[in-house]
Amino acid sequence: MLFYEDVKSIFPHTRGIQLNGVGFHAVSPLYDIRLEKGLYVPLVSHDHLFESINNGAIASLWDGKEEVPRFVPNHFPLFIVKDVQSAFNELIHFYKQKNNQEKWEIMTKFICNSESNLIKSIDAGSLKDQKKQKGGE
């Protein structure tokens, strides 16, 4: 799950309250769908923030060059970015890396000096297994 702290670590310039410990159930540039506990990403236009809030968005990425509408509550978190499209791509990349890292936490890690050493070890292990199978014939 993507948490407020995750997004803030990437985009530290914020406005509104901090939602520490709150996870985003959805991240989307679509304003006209249900975004329960969602992070709205205004890729096309910033004009639909109101609709995204009405549909459950609890925070949004926001282009720093855009004026924040008056209807936005003071406590509504905005992550101020230079370019929303780039920020969205960065957020997707971060989430993929975070997911992989969480999966890797439960996996066995093979640590070698180089990839070629790992390949040699795998090849040598395969050869030993093949010799054992042949010896039983």
Side-chain angles (χ1 to χ4, degrees), residues 63-92:
D63 189 321
K65 296 179 291 262
E66 294 286 328
E67 187 175 329
V68 178
R70 291 182 187 209
F71 66 80
V72 177
N74 289 335
H75 63 277
F76 187 80
L78 294 174
F79 297 96
I80 311 300
V81 299
K82 290 181 182 177
D83 176 53
V84 176
Q85 180 67 57
S86 297
F88 188 43
N89 293 341
E90 192 173 344
L91 194 58
I92 291 169

PDB file of all heavy atoms in Angstrom, residues 63-92:
ATOM      1  N   ASP A  63       0.280  20.944  -9.445  1.00  0.00           N
ATOM      2  CA  ASP A  63       1.315  21.696 -10.157  1.00  0.00           C
ATOM      3  C   ASP A  63       1.548  23.017  -9.434  1.00  0.00           C
ATOM      4  O   ASP A  63       0.611  23.798  -9.229  1.00  0.00           O
ATOM      5  CB  ASP A  63       0.866  21.952 -11.593  1.00  0.00           C
ATOM      6  CG  ASP A  63       1.966  22.523 -12.465  1.00  0.00           C
ATOM      7  OD1 ASP A  63       2.756  23.365 -11.978  1.00  0.00           O
ATOM      8  OD2 ASP A  63       2.050  22.119 -13.636  1.00  0.00           O
ATOM      9  N   GLY A  64       2.794  23.268  -9.054  1.00  0.00           N
ATOM     10  CA  GLY A  64       3.138  24.470  -8.307  1.00  0.00           C
ATOM     11  C   GLY A  64       2.855  25.769  -9.044  1.00  0.00           C
ATOM     12  O   GLY A  64       2.733  26.824  -8.422  1.00  0.00           O
ATOM     13  N   LYS A  65       2.735  25.697 -10.369  1.00  0.00           N
ATOM     14  CA  LYS A  65       2.444  26.899 -11.157  1.00  0.00           C
ATOM     15  C   LYS A  65       0.949  27.231 -11.178  1.00  0.00           C
ATOM     16  O   LYS A  65       0.566  28.320 -11.566  1.00  0.00           O
ATOM     17  CB  LYS A  65       2.960  26.734 -12.587  1.00  0.00           C
ATOM     18  CG  LYS A  65       4.482  26.587 -12.678  1.00  0.00           C
ATOM     19  CD  LYS A  65       4.943  26.391 -14.099  1.00  0.00           C
ATOM     20  CE  LYS A  65       4.552  25.093 -14.650  1.00  0.00           C
ATOM     21  NZ  LYS A  65       5.303  23.970 -14.745  1.00  0.00           N
ATOM     22  N   GLU A  66       0.120  26.270 -10.758  1.00  0.00           N
ATOM     23  CA  GLU A  66      -1.335  26.455 -10.766  1.00  0.00           C
ATOM     24  C   GLU A  66      -1.793  27.063  -9.446  1.00  0.00           C
ATOM     25  O   GLU A  66      -1.319  26.684  -8.374  1.00  0.00           O
ATOM     26  CB  GLU A  66      -2.050  25.112 -10.953  1.00  0.00           C
ATOM     27  CG  GLU A  66      -1.831  24.468 -12.292  1.00  0.00           C
ATOM     28  CD  GLU A  66      -2.612  25.154 -13.402  1.00  0.00           C
ATOM     29  OE1 GLU A  66      -3.707  25.682 -13.134  1.00  0.00           O
ATOM     30  OE2 GLU A  66      -2.113  25.140 -14.541  1.00  0.00           O
ATOM     31  N   GLU A  67      -2.724  27.977  -9.532  1.00  0.00           N
ATOM     32  CA  GLU A  67      -3.310  28.553  -8.327  1.00  0.00           C
ATOM     33  C   GLU A  67      -4.253  27.529  -7.701  1.00  0.00           C
ATOM     34  O   GLU A  67      -5.004  26.846  -8.406  1.00  0.00           O
ATOM     35  CB  GLU A  67      -4.079  29.822  -8.691  1.00  0.00           C
ATOM     36  CG  GLU A  67      -4.569  30.584  -7.489  1.00  0.00           C
ATOM     37  CD  GLU A  67      -5.226  31.894  -7.873  1.00  0.00           C
ATOM     38  OE1 GLU A  67      -4.827  32.483  -8.893  1.00  0.00           O
ATOM     39  OE2 GLU A  67      -6.150  32.303  -7.152  1.00  0.00           O
ATOM     40  N   VAL A  68      -4.208  27.433  -6.378  1.00  0.00           N
ATOM     41  CA  VAL A  68      -5.090  26.507  -5.670  1.00  0.00           C
ATOM     42  C   VAL A  68      -6.470  27.153  -5.565  1.00  0.00           C
ATOM     43  O   VAL A  68      -6.591  28.290  -5.094  1.00  0.00           O
ATOM     44  CB  VAL A  68      -4.540  26.192  -4.261  1.00  0.00           C
ATOM     45  CG1 VAL A  68      -5.493  25.272  -3.507  1.00  0.00           C
ATOM     46  CG2 VAL A  68      -3.154  25.566  -4.360  1.00  0.00           C
ATOM     47  N   PRO A  69      -7.517  26.457  -6.012  1.00  0.00           N
ATOM     48  CA  PRO A  69      -8.875  27.021  -5.955  1.00  0.00           C
ATOM     49  C   PRO A  69      -9.308  27.334  -4.521  1.00  0.00           C
ATOM     50  O   PRO A  69      -8.882  26.672  -3.570  1.00  0.00           O
ATOM     51  CB  PRO A  69      -9.747  25.915  -6.551  1.00  0.00           C
ATOM     52  CG  PRO A  69      -8.817  25.039  -7.307  1.00  0.00           C
ATOM     53  CD  PRO A  69      -7.500  25.132  -6.627  1.00  0.00           C
ATOM     54  N   ARG A  70     -10.150  28.318  -4.390  1.00  0.00           N
ATOM     55  CA  ARG A  70     -10.618  28.741  -3.061  1.00  0.00           C
ATOM     56  C   ARG A  70     -11.445  27.676  -2.354  1.00  0.00           C
ATOM     57  O   ARG A  70     -11.519  27.645  -1.132  1.00  0.00           O
ATOM     58  CB  ARG A  70     -11.444  30.019  -3.184  1.00  0.00           C
ATOM     59  CG  ARG A  70     -10.617  31.198  -3.567  1.00  0.00           C
ATOM     60  CD  ARG A  70     -11.465  32.438  -3.627  1.00  0.00           C
ATOM     61  NE  ARG A  70     -10.666  33.516  -4.163  1.00  0.00           N
ATOM     62  CZ  ARG A  70     -10.850  34.777  -3.878  1.00  0.00           C
ATOM     63  NH1 ARG A  70     -11.826  35.123  -3.083  1.00  0.00           N
ATOM     64  NH2 ARG A  70     -10.081  35.685  -4.404  1.00  0.00           N
ATOM     65  N   PHE A  71     -12.086  26.785  -3.110  1.00  0.00           N
ATOM     66  CA  PHE A  71     -12.939  25.777  -2.485  1.00  0.00           C
ATOM     67  C   PHE A  71     -12.147  24.674  -1.785  1.00  0.00           C
ATOM     68  O   PHE A  71     -12.705  23.906  -1.011  1.00  0.00           O
ATOM     69  CB  PHE A  71     -13.890  25.141  -3.508  1.00  0.00           C
ATOM     70  CG  PHE A  71     -13.192  24.322  -4.562  1.00  0.00           C
ATOM     71  CD1 PHE A  71     -12.765  23.030  -4.311  1.00  0.00           C
ATOM     72  CD2 PHE A  71     -12.966  24.860  -5.819  1.00  0.00           C
ATOM     73  CE1 PHE A  71     -12.131  22.274  -5.284  1.00  0.00           C
ATOM     74  CE2 PHE A  71     -12.333  24.120  -6.799  1.00  0.00           C
ATOM     75  CZ  PHE A  71     -11.898  22.824  -6.530  1.00  0.00           C
ATOM     76  N   VAL A  72     -10.846  24.598  -2.045  1.00  0.00           N
ATOM     77  CA  VAL A  72     -10.037  23.534  -1.442  1.00  0.00           C
ATOM     78  C   VAL A  72      -9.887  23.826   0.057  1.00  0.00           C
ATOM     79  O   VAL A  72      -9.381  24.887   0.433  1.00  0.00           O
ATOM     80  CB  VAL A  72      -8.652  23.426  -2.113  1.00  0.00           C
ATOM     81  CG1 VAL A  72      -7.797  22.372  -1.428  1.00  0.00           C
ATOM     82  CG2 VAL A  72      -8.812  23.108  -3.591  1.00  0.00           C
ATOM     83  N   PRO A  73     -10.318  22.896   0.900  1.00  0.00           N
ATOM     84  CA  PRO A  73     -10.184  23.109   2.346  1.00  0.00           C
ATOM     85  C   PRO A  73      -8.710  23.288   2.746  1.00  0.00           C
ATOM     86  O   PRO A  73      -7.826  22.670   2.150  1.00  0.00           O
ATOM     87  CB  PRO A  73     -10.758  21.824   2.953  1.00  0.00           C
ATOM     88  CG  PRO A  73     -11.551  21.185   1.874  1.00  0.00           C
ATOM     89  CD  PRO A  73     -10.945  21.623   0.580  1.00  0.00           C
ATOM     90  N   ASN A  74      -8.467  24.123   3.744  1.00  0.00           N
ATOM     91  CA  ASN A  74      -7.093  24.366   4.204  1.00  0.00           C
ATOM     92  C   ASN A  74      -6.406  23.085   4.662  1.00  0.00           C
ATOM     93  O   ASN A  74      -5.191  22.959   4.565  1.00  0.00           O
ATOM     94  CB  ASN A  74      -7.071  25.383   5.352  1.00  0.00           C
ATOM     95  CG  ASN A  74      -7.389  26.771   4.870  1.00  0.00           C
ATOM     96  OD1 ASN A  74      -7.189  27.103   3.708  1.00  0.00           O
ATOM     97  ND2 ASN A  74      -7.919  27.589   5.769  1.00  0.00           N
ATOM     98  N   HIS A  75      -7.178  22.149   5.154  1.00  0.00           N
ATOM     99  CA  HIS A  75      -6.585  20.909   5.667  1.00  0.00           C
ATOM    100  C   HIS A  75      -6.364  19.854   4.568  1.00  0.00           C
ATOM    101  O   HIS A  75      -5.710  18.851   4.804  1.00  0.00           O
ATOM    102  CB  HIS A  75      -7.455  20.315   6.783  1.00  0.00           C
ATOM    103  CG  HIS A  75      -8.820  19.904   6.324  1.00  0.00           C
ATOM    104  ND1 HIS A  75      -9.860  20.795   6.221  1.00  0.00           N
ATOM    105  CD2 HIS A  75      -9.302  18.705   5.923  1.00  0.00           C
ATOM    106  CE1 HIS A  75     -10.938  20.147   5.787  1.00  0.00           C
ATOM    107  NE2 HIS A  75     -10.623  18.880   5.592  1.00  0.00           N
ATOM    108  N   PHE A  76      -6.902  20.059   3.380  1.00  0.00           N
ATOM    109  CA  PHE A  76      -6.772  19.074   2.293  1.00  0.00           C
ATOM    110  C   PHE A  76      -5.322  19.028   1.809  1.00  0.00           C
ATOM    111  O   PHE A  76      -4.785  20.028   1.341  1.00  0.00           O
ATOM    112  CB  PHE A  76      -7.699  19.439   1.131  1.00  0.00           C
ATOM    113  CG  PHE A  76      -7.751  18.402   0.037  1.00  0.00           C
ATOM    114  CD1 PHE A  76      -8.537  17.273   0.169  1.00  0.00           C
ATOM    115  CD2 PHE A  76      -6.991  18.559  -1.120  1.00  0.00           C
ATOM    116  CE1 PHE A  76      -8.590  16.320  -0.840  1.00  0.00           C
ATOM    117  CE2 PHE A  76      -7.040  17.605  -2.132  1.00  0.00           C
ATOM    118  CZ  PHE A  76      -7.838  16.484  -1.989  1.00  0.00           C
ATOM    119  N   PRO A  77      -4.665  17.860   1.904  1.00  0.00           N
ATOM    120  CA  PRO A  77      -3.256  17.768   1.511  1.00  0.00           C
ATOM    121  C   PRO A  77      -3.036  17.864   0.001  1.00  0.00           C
ATOM    122  O   PRO A  77      -3.687  17.176  -0.779  1.00  0.00           O
ATOM    123  CB  PRO A  77      -2.830  16.376   2.003  1.00  0.00           C
ATOM    124  CG  PRO A  77      -3.889  15.949   2.951  1.00  0.00           C
ATOM    125  CD  PRO A  77      -5.146  16.629   2.514  1.00  0.00           C
ATOM    126  N   LEU A  78      -2.130  18.731  -0.372  1.00  0.00           N
ATOM    127  CA  LEU A  78      -1.673  18.849  -1.754  1.00  0.00           C
ATOM    128  C   LEU A  78      -0.167  18.631  -1.769  1.00  0.00           C
ATOM    129  O   LEU A  78       0.560  19.227  -0.964  1.00  0.00           O
ATOM    130  CB  LEU A  78      -1.984  20.237  -2.324  1.00  0.00           C
ATOM    131  CG  LEU A  78      -3.454  20.604  -2.494  1.00  0.00           C
ATOM    132  CD1 LEU A  78      -3.583  22.062  -2.920  1.00  0.00           C
ATOM    133  CD2 LEU A  78      -4.124  19.697  -3.507  1.00  0.00           C
ATOM    134  N   PHE A  79       0.288  17.772  -2.659  1.00  0.00           N
ATOM    135  CA  PHE A  79       1.720  17.565  -2.872  1.00  0.00           C
ATOM    136  C   PHE A  79       2.112  18.447  -4.043  1.00  0.00           C
ATOM    137  O   PHE A  79       1.714  18.186  -5.179  1.00  0.00           O
ATOM    138  CB  PHE A  79       2.028  16.096  -3.167  1.00  0.00           C
ATOM    139  CG  PHE A  79       1.675  15.183  -2.025  1.00  0.00           C
ATOM    140  CD1 PHE A  79       0.461  14.514  -1.999  1.00  0.00           C
ATOM    141  CD2 PHE A  79       2.565  15.003  -0.973  1.00  0.00           C
ATOM    142  CE1 PHE A  79       0.129  13.690  -0.945  1.00  0.00           C
ATOM    143  CE2 PHE A  79       2.238  14.167   0.085  1.00  0.00           C
ATOM    144  CZ  PHE A  79       1.025  13.509   0.108  1.00  0.00           C
ATOM    145  N   ILE A  80       2.855  19.492  -3.771  1.00  0.00           N
ATOM    146  CA  ILE A  80       3.213  20.472  -4.785  1.00  0.00           C
ATOM    147  C   ILE A  80       4.386  19.941  -5.606  1.00  0.00           C
ATOM    148  O   ILE A  80       5.442  19.610  -5.055  1.00  0.00           O
ATOM    149  CB  ILE A  80       3.581  21.826  -4.145  1.00  0.00           C
ATOM    150  CG1 ILE A  80       2.524  22.262  -3.118  1.00  0.00           C
ATOM    151  CG2 ILE A  80       3.804  22.881  -5.211  1.00  0.00           C
ATOM    152  CD1 ILE A  80       1.131  22.448  -3.656  1.00  0.00           C
ATOM    153  N   VAL A  81       4.188  19.855  -6.928  1.00  0.00           N
ATOM    154  CA  VAL A  81       5.202  19.302  -7.834  1.00  0.00           C
ATOM    155  C   VAL A  81       5.455  20.271  -8.987  1.00  0.00           C
ATOM    156  O   VAL A  81       4.653  21.169  -9.240  1.00  0.00           O
ATOM    157  CB  VAL A  81       4.769  17.920  -8.379  1.00  0.00           C
ATOM    158  CG1 VAL A  81       4.595  16.918  -7.240  1.00  0.00           C
ATOM    159  CG2 VAL A  81       3.491  18.008  -9.188  1.00  0.00           C
ATOM    160  N   LYS A  82       6.564  20.070  -9.680  1.00  0.00           N
ATOM    161  CA  LYS A  82       6.883  20.919 -10.839  1.00  0.00           C
ATOM    162  C   LYS A  82       6.103  20.505 -12.074  1.00  0.00           C
ATOM    163  O   LYS A  82       5.687  21.332 -12.861  1.00  0.00           O
ATOM    164  CB  LYS A  82       8.388  20.867 -11.135  1.00  0.00           C
ATOM    165  CG  LYS A  82       9.221  21.557 -10.094  1.00  0.00           C
ATOM    166  CD  LYS A  82      10.684  21.503 -10.454  1.00  0.00           C
ATOM    167  CE  LYS A  82      11.505  22.171  -9.352  1.00  0.00           C
ATOM    168  NZ  LYS A  82      12.921  22.088  -9.621  1.00  0.00           N
ATOM    169  N   ASP A  83       5.936  19.200 -12.249  1.00  0.00           N
ATOM    170  CA  ASP A  83       5.235  18.671 -13.422  1.00  0.00           C
ATOM    171  C   ASP A  83       4.444  17.438 -12.982  1.00  0.00           C
ATOM    172  O   ASP A  83       5.048  16.457 -12.524  1.00  0.00           O
ATOM    173  CB  ASP A  83       6.246  18.317 -14.515  1.00  0.00           C
ATOM    174  CG  ASP A  83       5.598  17.677 -15.728  1.00  0.00           C
ATOM    175  OD1 ASP A  83       4.653  18.267 -16.272  1.00  0.00           O
ATOM    176  OD2 ASP A  83       6.044  16.578 -16.112  1.00  0.00           O
ATOM    177  N   VAL A  84       3.139  17.489 -13.124  1.00  0.00           N
ATOM    178  CA  VAL A  84       2.273  16.414 -12.627  1.00  0.00           C
ATOM    179  C   VAL A  84       2.541  15.098 -13.350  1.00  0.00           C
ATOM    180  O   VAL A  84       2.588  14.038 -12.721  1.00  0.00           O
ATOM    181  CB  VAL A  84       0.780  16.809 -12.715  1.00  0.00           C
ATOM    182  CG1 VAL A  84      -0.115  15.655 -12.302  1.00  0.00           C
ATOM    183  CG2 VAL A  84       0.502  18.016 -11.838  1.00  0.00           C
ATOM    184  N   GLN A  85       2.728  15.125 -14.667  1.00  0.00           N
ATOM    185  CA  GLN A  85       2.986  13.889 -15.420  1.00  0.00           C
ATOM    186  C   GLN A  85       4.277  13.223 -14.943  1.00  0.00           C
ATOM    187  O   GLN A  85       4.302  12.022 -14.693  1.00  0.00           O
ATOM    188  CB  GLN A  85       3.068  14.178 -16.923  1.00  0.00           C
ATOM    189  CG  GLN A  85       3.344  12.938 -17.766  1.00  0.00           C
ATOM    190  CD  GLN A  85       2.208  11.934 -17.753  1.00  0.00           C
ATOM    191  OE1 GLN A  85       1.087  12.272 -18.100  1.00  0.00           O
ATOM    192  NE2 GLN A  85       2.465  10.707 -17.361  1.00  0.00           N
ATOM    193  N   SER A  86       5.334  13.993 -14.800  1.00  0.00           N
ATOM    194  CA  SER A  86       6.605  13.441 -14.311  1.00  0.00           C
ATOM    195  C   SER A  86       6.464  12.909 -12.892  1.00  0.00           C
ATOM    196  O   SER A  86       7.008  11.850 -12.556  1.00  0.00           O
ATOM    197  CB  SER A  86       7.703  14.507 -14.342  1.00  0.00           C
ATOM    198  OG  SER A  86       7.946  14.916 -15.655  1.00  0.00           O
ATOM    199  N   ALA A  87       5.723  13.645 -12.068  1.00  0.00           N
ATOM    200  CA  ALA A  87       5.509  13.216 -10.688  1.00  0.00           C
ATOM    201  C   ALA A  87       4.727  11.904 -10.643  1.00  0.00           C
ATOM    202  O   ALA A  87       5.040  11.015  -9.846  1.00  0.00           O
ATOM    203  CB  ALA A  87       4.774  14.303  -9.918  1.00  0.00           C
ATOM    204  N   PHE A  88       3.723  11.772 -11.495  1.00  0.00           N
ATOM    205  CA  PHE A  88       2.934  10.542 -11.556  1.00  0.00           C
ATOM    206  C   PHE A  88       3.824   9.368 -11.966  1.00  0.00           C
ATOM    207  O   PHE A  88       3.774   8.293 -11.350  1.00  0.00           O
ATOM    208  CB  PHE A  88       1.775  10.723 -12.531  1.00  0.00           C
ATOM    209  CG  PHE A  88       0.778   9.603 -12.557  1.00  0.00           C
ATOM    210  CD1 PHE A  88       0.317   9.011 -11.390  1.00  0.00           C
ATOM    211  CD2 PHE A  88       0.261   9.148 -13.760  1.00  0.00           C
ATOM    212  CE1 PHE A  88      -0.627   7.992 -11.411  1.00  0.00           C
ATOM    213  CE2 PHE A  88      -0.683   8.129 -13.798  1.00  0.00           C
ATOM    214  CZ  PHE A  88      -1.121   7.551 -12.629  1.00  0.00           C
ATOM    215  N   ASN A  89       4.659   9.566 -12.965  1.00  0.00           N
ATOM    216  CA  ASN A  89       5.596   8.516 -13.397  1.00  0.00           C
ATOM    217  C   ASN A  89       6.547   8.137 -12.272  1.00  0.00           C
ATOM    218  O   ASN A  89       6.825   6.956 -12.048  1.00  0.00           O
ATOM    219  CB  ASN A  89       6.383   8.967 -14.623  1.00  0.00           C
ATOM    220  CG  ASN A  89       5.509   9.123 -15.847  1.00  0.00           C
ATOM    221  OD1 ASN A  89       4.413   8.583 -15.915  1.00  0.00           O
ATOM    222  ND2 ASN A  89       5.977   9.896 -16.811  1.00  0.00           N
ATOM    223  N   GLU A  90       7.048   9.138 -11.563  1.00  0.00           N
ATOM    224  CA  GLU A  90       7.963   8.887 -10.447  1.00  0.00           C
ATOM    225  C   GLU A  90       7.259   8.112  -9.337  1.00  0.00           C
ATOM    226  O   GLU A  90       7.840   7.206  -8.735  1.00  0.00           O
ATOM    227  CB  GLU A  90       8.477  10.233  -9.916  1.00  0.00           C
ATOM    228  CG  GLU A  90       9.633  10.117  -8.977  1.00  0.00           C
ATOM    229  CD  GLU A  90      10.225  11.474  -8.614  1.00  0.00           C
ATOM    230  OE1 GLU A  90       9.950  12.482  -9.300  1.00  0.00           O
ATOM    231  OE2 GLU A  90      10.978  11.518  -7.624  1.00  0.00           O
ATOM    232  N   LEU A  91       6.005   8.447  -9.080  1.00  0.00           N
ATOM    233  CA  LEU A  91       5.227   7.762  -8.057  1.00  0.00           C
ATOM    234  C   LEU A  91       4.998   6.293  -8.430  1.00  0.00           C
ATOM    235  O   LEU A  91       5.127   5.404  -7.583  1.00  0.00           O
ATOM    236  CB  LEU A  91       3.886   8.476  -7.885  1.00  0.00           C
ATOM    237  CG  LEU A  91       3.056   8.142  -6.667  1.00  0.00           C
ATOM    238  CD1 LEU A  91       3.812   8.416  -5.390  1.00  0.00           C
ATOM    239  CD2 LEU A  91       1.759   8.935  -6.700  1.00  0.00           C
ATOM    240  N   ILE A  92       4.697   6.038  -9.700  1.00  0.00           N
ATOM    241  CA  ILE A  92       4.509   4.658 -10.171  1.00  0.00           C
ATOM    242  C   ILE A  92       5.813   3.874 -10.010  1.00  0.00           C
ATOM    243  O   ILE A  92       5.811   2.743  -9.514  1.00  0.00           O
ATOM    244  CB  ILE A  92       4.029   4.638 -11.635  1.00  0.00           C
ATOM    245  CG1 ILE A  92       2.599   5.171 -11.730  1.00  0.00           C
ATOM    246  CG2 ILE A  92       4.116   3.235 -12.230  1.00  0.00           C
ATOM    247  CD1 ILE A  92       2.126   5.448 -13.147  1.00  0.00           C
TER     248      ILE A  92
END
